[in-house]
Amino acid sequence: MYVFLLNLLAGGIVHAQNTVRIAPLVSGDAAEQFANSILKKMTLAEKVKIIHGDHIYSVAGVARVGIPPFLPADGPCAVRPELADNCTYLYEGKTNDIAIALPPLSAVAATWNPEMGLFFGETLGNELRARGKDMSLGPAINIMRTPLDGRTFEFMGEDPFLAGHMAAPVIRGIQSQDVAACVKHFVANNQELDRYDVNVTMDERTLREIYLPGFETAIKEGESWGIMGAYNKLRGQWCCENPYLLKSILRNEWGFKGVVVSDWGAVHDMKRAALAGCDLEMKIGSDYQFAKLEKAVENGELAKSVVDEKARRMLWLMAKIKKIGPDTASRIKGVLNTPAHRAVALSIAEEAIVLLKNENNILPLNPASLKTVLCIGRNANLKVCNGGGSGEGKPPYEITALDGLRRRLGDGVKIEYISMEPNASNPSDQIIANLAKTADAVLIFTGDSHAEESEGKDRTDIKLPKGQDEMVEKFVSINPCTVIINESGAPVAMPWVNK
């Protein structure tokens, strides 16, 4: 038996060199000077307007002083399809909001190659610009403290050093395309179960050695212009209202100059969040806490400088990405689904594949020796881009493993496919066994889908989906040329691996 792991939960992909390297961005000093010049012209109401959302994925502009709306976008693995404020798809069945699907960040980390991280960031950033976006809500680098976390496919593994040093080039790549990165979720957002309420407690050494290093590298080496505060509490304080995190560590220790964005709905108390250092409040719905900042300043509850500081950072960020300022004409426009972008996606996917076993060196299979191939398992023909929460994509096409095999082997090789899904009309086990005996190769596909791995829920165990272990047990030993291909974004148990 032969096993290899595809760390892919983001879909159909292809190979090239890399994306075009771009001219330097607005310098920090120039961006700061421009931000200050605009800030002087703004009223208090206008400043408040640009530090909270007016829609699930937009912040209102101020036309009077030349500030257009600011548009962040979900999708650490793609550019997310457009959503209405009630989270329904705006262009269901249409192509107004497509973008290439890249391998997820768990796959990027599995390459152990910072250059792949850079190519990933450049490609994603370029497609974000093609969709008119200003900020990528990623990369997501929370440590995999439990393999059950439903968003493990979006993160970069369990090692803080690896996560940080792979995230930094992703960030640099995104920002080279005149788009801000927003590394997330700061900090200790390591489970989906009760993520809105959980209070994470730990000692300082644990915080410093496990949870913070990836973010520190992302800020200091990646120079991310954005960071997202997490939903959860740390030591009893909400992360978006936590001055130790947002001021003492992020600003004072690490020198972060950018914008702290709340996770969507993570601000609970307007005053605490404002004073702690949260700059931009985002949420689903219309009742924004930060909308009340104008009245709080007028009533003397908060100093005007609190609002000025946040508005200045937003203007600085917009100048950095050339959305405002003297260099708007040179801002990158971006393109979608180019041969170079598809090539990057394939390159990352190829480097992410992990060969776990190859007894007798049967892999790679020799196409010239194949007349019949039997493919078993739903994951052979599973499309996975559209799903998973904020990591989802809407690619112009998606190639399944079965599609790829058919293209690669052509009409000269007969490929039999049996899904083994409970609701499918599968042949009997005896018929499948007979097909397996006579096939030149048997490929058994296991793995998760976004029914198992998704934002908003955790898995209950690391077992493969129901029926898959039994499927492997039944058919793995029939043909000596049998390959198990597992496609998952998170760890799975393989109790049959020694067979």
Side-chain angles (χ1 to χ4, degrees):
M1 181 194 71
Y2 315 90
V3 180
F4 64 95
L5 176 69
L6 292 181
N7 203 359
L8 305 171
L9 264 185
I13 33 197
V14 224
H15 180 97
Q17 303 312 310
N18 55 25
T19 51
V20 179
R21 299 303 171 92
I22 312 299
L25 298 162
V26 176
S27 74
D29 289 344
E32 205 164 317
Q33 290 168 11
F34 188 81
N36 286 329
S37 70
I38 295 291
L39 191 69
K40 292 174 185 175
K41 303 173 185 176
M42 297 175 70
T43 67
L44 175 62
E46 288 169 341
K47 294 169 187 174
V48 169
K49 194 176 180 183
I50 66 168
I51 60 174
H52 67 80
D54 69 338
H55 175 272
I56 184 174
Y57 291 121
S58 73
V59 178
V62 181
R64 188 185 68 80
V65 290
I67 303 171
F70 180 79
L71 306 173
D74 255 335
C77 321
V79 188
R80 194 175 190 179
E82 298 296 338
L83 298 176
D85 231 349
N86 62 0
C87 291
T88 58
Y89 293 112
L90 285 179
Y91 304 116
E92 188 75 59
K94 299 179 182 178
T95 58
N96 304 45
D97 54 350
I98 63 166
I100 193 173
L102 291 156
L105 289 168
S106 61
V108 178
T111 69
W112 294 79
N113 184 346
E115 189 171 60
M116 289 294 107
L118 181 65
F119 294 164
F120 177 99
E122 289 173 337
T123 303
L124 179 59
N126 199 263
E127 298 241 343
L128 282 156
R129 284 301 308 125
R131 286 270 301 278
K133 304 302 182 182
D134 301 313
M135 173 178 273
S136 173
L137 299 172
I141 62 166
N142 293 102
I143 295 302
M144 188 181 71
R145 290 294 281 164
T146 165
L148 303 180
D149 187 342
R151 297 179 82 172
T152 293
F153 71 97
E154 281 190 66
F155 300 156
M156 302 186 88
E158 68 271 29
D159 184 87
F161 184 89
L162 174 66
H165 284 83
M166 289 302 296
V170 169
I171 290 164
R172 291 197 299 270
I174 290 170
Q175 294 183 166
S176 76
Q177 306 299 299
D178 299 343
V179 177
C182 184
V183 63
K184 64 184 186 184
H185 311 80
F186 191 60
V187 65
N189 181 177
N190 304 99
Q191 63 186 62
E192 291 300 283
L193 179 67
D194 297 328
R195 64 175 176 167
Y196 300 110
D197 307 297
V198 67
N199 178 32
V200 183
T201 60
M202 67 184 80
D203 61 21
E204 191 68 8
R205 179 176 177 178
T206 304
L207 179 68
R208 295 283 178 170
E209 291 186 0
I210 297 175
Y211 292 90
L212 291 181
F215 287 98
E216 183 174 7
T217 304
I219 298 303
K220 289 184 175 179
E221 294 186 20
E223 299 183 359
S224 183
W225 297 330
I227 189 167
M228 185 186 294
Y231 279 126
N232 53 281
K233 293 177 182 177
L234 177 71
R235 300 171 180 162
Q237 283 186 303
W238 299 109
C239 286
C240 290
E241 302 170 12
N242 192 316
Y244 181 61
L245 287 178
L246 303 185
K247 283 194 171 179
S248 299
I249 295 175
L250 186 60
R251 300 280 182 200
N252 299 340
E253 290 187 31
W254 298 349
F256 179 64
K257 290 184 66 173
V259 172
V260 175
V261 183
S262 79
D263 206 337
W264 268 233
V267 170
H268 299 265
D269 183 286
M270 174 266 293
K271 190 172 179 179
R272 285 178 185 162
L275 291 174
C278 183
D279 299 310
L280 176 62
E281 183 198 3
M282 299 300 293
K283 63 175 294 182
I284 300 168
S286 57
D287 184 25
Y288 288 89
Q289 296 281 326
F290 276 16
K292 304 167 189 172
L293 283 169
E294 182 183 1
K295 185 174 284 188
V297 171
E298 290 172 345
N299 291 343
E301 294 178 59
L302 288 171
K304 179 172 165 286
S305 59
V306 174
V307 171
D308 284 353
E309 183 180 48
K310 300 176 191 314
R312 183 183 292 108
R313 287 183 187 132
M314 282 297 295
L315 294 169
W316 174 86
L317 186 148
M318 286 191 263
K320 292 289 280 184
I321 61 174
K322 303 179 187 175
K323 190 173 183 73
I324 59 173
D327 299 320
T328 54
S330 67
R331 192 181 189 196
I332 293 164
K333 291 182 170 54
V335 283
L336 292 169
N337 189 34
T338 66
H341 290 181
R342 298 195 297 268
V344 165
L346 183 61
S347 296
I348 296 167
E350 289 169 344
E351 287 206 29
I353 293 169
V354 179
L355 181 66
L356 299 179
K357 290 181 73 173
N358 193 15
E359 292 170 359
N360 303 321
N361 294 312
I362 286 182
L363 290 174
L365 298 175
N366 179 7
S369 66
L370 301 175
K371 291 187 174 60
T372 61
V373 174
L374 175 62
C375 295
I376 304 173
R378 71 157 191 191
N379 282 59
N381 202 34
L382 184 68
K383 292 186 177 182
V384 294
C385 293
N386 186 12
S390 67
E392 72 180 327
K394 185 180 177 182
Y397 64 90
E398 184 174 355
I399 299 171
T400 67
L402 191 62
D403 294 332
L405 281 166
R406 286 170 174 160
R407 293 184 185 200
R408 175 71 177 84
L409 296 175
D411 295 335
V413 178
K414 183 179 180 181
I415 297 178
E416 298 272 7
Y417 169 59
I418 301 165
S419 74
M420 296 302 293
E421 285 285 84
N423 56 356
S425 54
N426 296 300
S428 68
D429 288 352
Q430 187 57 54
I431 291 173
I432 299 172
N434 290 338
L435 289 170
K437 282 178 186 174
T438 57
D440 296 308
V442 177
L443 310 182
I444 302 178
F445 288 81
T446 64
D448 292 330
S449 71
H450 284 308
E452 292 82 35
E453 294 184 40
S454 178
E455 180 181 6
K457 65 179 182 180
D458 290 338
R459 295 184 296 169
T460 56
D461 53 50
I462 63 168
K463 294 178 182 177
L464 285 166
K466 188 176 180 179
Q468 291 192 13
D469 284 330
E470 294 82 355
M471 172 183 74
V472 174
E473 294 280 1
K474 285 177 184 175
F475 305 117
V476 72
S477 301
I478 294 172
N479 189 316
C481 187
T482 295
V483 183
I484 311 291
I485 302 103
N486 184 70
E487 299 173 303
S488 298
V492 294
M494 297 180 178
W496 31 261
V497 72
N498 291 325
K499 298 182 183 180

